[in-house]
Amino acid sequence: MPDIVLTRIDNRLIHGQVATQWCGVVGANLLLVANDKVAADQLRQGLMNMAAPSYCQTRYFTIQKTCDIIGKASPSQHIAIICETPQDVLKLVEGGVPIKSVNIGNMHMAEGKRQVATSVAVSDDDVAAFKRLRELGVELYIQRVPDIAKEDVENLFK
């Protein structure tokens, strides 16, 4: 069983907040970006590697590869999974990745989305993915950084 210490949705993926705050608080030593586009984009990987703390390894896997190999993780790996969308997290859960809770950190406003929290804007597809995750027993919480209060997750469903 892999030691998943954090699963976070953040459309910026690895950046300052994840690298400097969340990794330290949750004790992660491996940042795993599960994203099909980034898995094939060396430039973006290089930029994100610069933001990762020196004590964390980074991996950039497709959703399918994450599902296929997460069970082979070493017990010494304390994994923070970073996804861009709730749909990607849902694919991981449905693919057998044992995710118990999801930190919803940052989802930018875009056409077809509505603001539901300080840094979270959702579309109808996002809401459907969150509902399905909840049905599958996954705890959801909205929290930008560890030292501020969680926001009301029920706002996602209004």
Side-chain angles (χ1 to χ4, degrees), residues 15-136:
H15 61 91
Q17 285 176 347
V18 169
T20 62
Q21 296 184 34
W22 283 106
C23 286
V25 167
V26 301
N29 62 13
L30 174 63
L31 288 169
L32 168 57
V33 173
N35 182 278
D36 292 345
K37 289 180 184 173
V38 173
D41 189 335
Q42 296 291 318
L43 177 61
R44 281 186 71 189
Q45 291 176 26
L47 293 170
M48 285 187 269
N49 283 339
M50 287 189 276
S54 60
Y55 59 85
C56 273
Q57 295 180 332
T58 55
R59 299 287 185 275
Y60 303 94
F61 294 160
T62 63
I63 298 297
Q64 187 59 55
K65 183 173 181 177
T66 303
C67 294
D68 292 344
I69 70 168
I70 194 82
K72 298 176 184 175
S74 163
S76 65
Q77 292 176 313
H78 310 295
I79 306 166
I81 299 174
I82 315 299
C83 291
E84 189 172 31
T85 68
Q87 293 83 355
D88 284 349
V89 175
L90 180 57
K91 288 176 190 171
L92 292 176
V93 172
E94 290 176 336
V97 178
I99 294 170
K100 303 294 180 219
S101 69
V102 176
N103 165 247
I104 304 161
N106 196 68
M107 296 175 64
H108 288 309
M109 178 59 93
E111 189 173 331
K113 292 192 172 200
R114 60 196 172 279
Q115 199 80 31
V116 297
T118 304
S119 61
V120 178
V122 295
S123 67
D124 291 342
D125 287 343
D126 296 333
V127 172
F130 284 130
K131 284 181 179 176
R132 182 67 183 132
L133 285 165
R134 187 181 257 182
E135 289 170 4
L136 293 170

Side-chain angles (χ1 to χ4, degrees), residues 134-154:
R134 187 181 257 182
E135 289 170 4
L136 293 170
V138 177
E139 174 200 3
L140 305 173
Y141 64 100
I142 299 170
Q143 189 174 21
R144 285 185 302 133
V145 292
D147 60 351
I148 65 167
K150 294 177 182 178
E151 295 185 52
D152 186 0
V153 75
E154 292 306 314

